Amino acid sequence: MRKPDPRIFTAALAVGGHEAGEAWMVGDSADHDVRGARAVGARSVWLHRGRCWPADAPPPDHVAGSFAAAVEHVVAAGAR
């Protein structure tokens, strides 16, 4: 399995013992990370790395400029 195949996200959720609604995916790929998270019902933070979001892609739940900023957002949102 490879991202964005929903099975890889489902497997990761199972290992962590969480439901998709409790989870956040932090990544820098609109297709692999954000689309994959959306497919299983998880929330997402896209690390923009100075890039613009693709106009034809459904937006992430949050956009961050760094991993640290992404983690701060997830913690503030009350993630487990």
Side-chain angles (χ1 to χ4, degrees):
M1 295 179 282
R2 296 180 64 147
K3 294 186 289 180
D5 185 331
R7 294 176 300 167
I8 197 165
F9 292 89
T10 302
L13 289 164
V15 168
H18 294 285
E19 298 294 323
E22 301 172 310
W24 285 85
M25 172 64 192
V26 176
D28 64 355
S29 172
D31 186 46
H32 295 122
D33 301 323
V34 175
R35 184 167 60 108
R38 182 181 298 275
V40 297
R43 293 170 286 181
S44 60
V45 179
W46 181 60
L47 301 174
H48 66 74
R49 301 186 190 260
R51 299 168 293 159
C52 294
W53 182 255
D56 61 340
D61 296 292
H62 186 71
V63 176
S66 69
F67 182 74
V71 171
E72 287 176 13
H73 176 79
V74 170
V75 170
R80 293 185 191 187

